[in-house]
Amino acid sequence: MTSNVESIQQVQAKPLLSVFVQNLAALAFGAIIIFAVGFLPVEAAHNAAHDTRHALSFPCH
Amino acid sequence: MIFRRIIYTAIFVGCLAGLMLSAAQIIMVNPIIFAAETFELAESAADSGGHSHSGHDHGDAWSSEDGKERTSFTIFANIAAGIGFAAILLSLMSQLQIQGLTQLSLLKGALWGLAGYIAVFVAPAIGLPPEIPGIEAAALKERQLWWILAVIAVGAGLLVISFAPLKYKVIGIILAFIPYIVNIPHHEGPAFAHPDPEAVATLTALHQQFIIASAASNLVFWLVLGVIAAWGLNRWVLKGITFNSGSSHAAV
């Protein structure tokens, strides 16, 4: 009985971890885009996103 | 494949929210930025002879032409920002809903949007008011670091207050206060260094208008993000995925 419970938990553990990792990856994807739009210190990126940085009140200049 | 679904949904939500933000920005915010830049241009033309639209440019880096090209880049950047924030919202919503801690609805989506607005716009604006071109401010790196601290601390604080068990909620309150206990990188001295007092008065008035206009347009942006992300979460991201609230079982 105990071993049954354990085996069910093992089956469930993998997709739950997988879901967590996938959500975490999506979070990182979003954070990287926000960094590129709001913080990338490359001059051309700053100039392209200039008005967006001001409108969203990212620190600029 | 939740990751792929979140990315596709984030692109959809980000496009809508980015376009809404662009409309609000073109009507309310950009005229103020442009008006403030005329003073900045006069300033930088005197000492550097710079020719670009934003007088703070250093060197000959590329910048968009004023007019349609500049507006196009702004819309593109707004959509990109929308996609980024939507991906973050969706990943958090997805994780909490799969764990059975919430069940998103359009109304709850609006609350998530409001929380995003508080964390990403209001929280940093309390310490560092939104800036217009030409304003004097502390070193950029320090302000950026404080901005990131404020957004993450208040965002995490709101999540803990909303979803943690009662006895842990105080941790969320403490988290949300941390950015205001540390040293906020303020600029010492007058806000505008323009030599003409009349210009300073105009810039000060523009700055107040800018704070109101950006507060309003960001609120629209975040409400659209939250509501459509909640809709997309149930419609696409978690469609067909079963989970039992409480027992945190997910079949993917």
Side-chain angles (χ1 to χ4, degrees):
Chain A
M1 191 60 193
T2 314
S3 65
N4 271 350
V5 170
E6 273 171 7
S7 71
I8 289 168
Q9 280 173 341
Q10 277 166 359
V11 170
Q12 289 175 357
K14 200 180 169 195
L16 252 193
L17 182 66
S18 157
V19 163
F20 178 72
V21 169
Q22 291 184 54
N23 283 331
L24 202 64
L27 186 85
F29 167 87
I32 288 166
I33 292 186
I34 295 305
F35 177 80
V37 174
F39 295 96
L40 201 63
V42 177
E43 201 65 25
H46 164 271
N47 292 342
H50 175 265
D51 297 348
T52 298
R53 289 185 183 190
H54 274 287
L56 293 174
S57 85
F58 287 97
C60 195
H61 299 236
Chain B
M1 187 66 185
I2 285 192
F3 175 76
R4 194 168 41 189
R5 288 182 180 185
I6 288 181
I7 302 305
Y8 288 162
T9 309
I11 290 169
F12 174 79
V13 176
C15 284
L16 285 179
L19 289 174
M20 286 293 292
L21 175 67
S22 301
Q25 186 178 352
I26 289 165
I27 297 165
M28 295 194 292
V29 181
N30 277 357
I32 302 170
I33 295 180
F34 298 159
E37 271 179 0
T38 59
F39 294 96
E40 198 184 40
L41 264 185
E43 234 177 280
S44 71
D47 53 43
S48 72
H51 61 277
S52 102
H53 70 256
S54 35
H56 55 279
D57 286 350
H58 319 289
D60 297 323
W62 172 90
S63 72
S64 57
E65 294 291 322
D66 280 359
K68 273 184 191 159
E69 188 180 313
R70 183 173 177 177
T71 308
S72 310
F73 274 98
T74 299
I75 294 172
F76 177 79
N78 285 349
I79 289 174
I83 293 170
F85 285 129
I88 293 171
L89 271 184
L90 283 164
S91 62
L92 294 170
M93 286 174 167
S94 155
Q95 185 63 34
L96 288 168
Q97 182 148 324
I98 286 169
Q99 288 189 333
L101 290 169
T102 188
Q103 176 64 46
L104 263 295
S105 60
L106 294 187
L107 178 66
K108 282 186 185 169
L111 290 175
W112 274 77
L114 199 63
Y117 175 70
I118 290 169
V120 180
F121 182 81
V122 178
I126 290 171
L128 297 171
E131 300 156 6
I132 57 173
I135 201 166
E136 299 293 320
L140 180 61
K141 271 267 140 45
E142 290 170 28
R143 280 180 293 133
Q144 288 183 326
L145 285 176
W146 185 83
W147 190 98
I148 293 170
L149 170 74
V151 170
I152 292 179
V154 173
L158 287 175
L159 278 173
V160 170
I161 291 167
S162 307
F163 297 107
L166 192 63
K167 58 183 173 180
Y168 296 119
K169 287 194 195 297
V170 67
I171 296 172
I173 296 168
I174 293 168
L175 266 175
F177 271 104
I178 286 176
Y180 308 102
I181 298 165
V182 301
N183 185 35
I184 302 172
H186 280 301
H187 168 69
E188 303 293 332
F192 297 101
H194 204 282
D196 180 5
E198 242 177 76
V200 171
T202 311
L203 281 167
T204 306
L206 281 172
H207 189 213
Q208 282 164 358
Q209 289 171 27
F210 180 76
I211 291 174
I212 294 165
S214 58
S217 53
N218 276 272
L219 182 61
V220 171
F221 176 64
W222 277 102
L223 286 177
V224 171
L225 269 180
V227 171
I228 305 185
W231 180 80
L233 185 84
N234 291 323
R235 180 76 177 74
W236 290 322
V237 178
L238 298 182
K239 193 183 177 208
I241 294 175
T242 54
F243 57 90
N244 305 324
S245 62
S247 75
S248 63
H249 161 72
V252 183

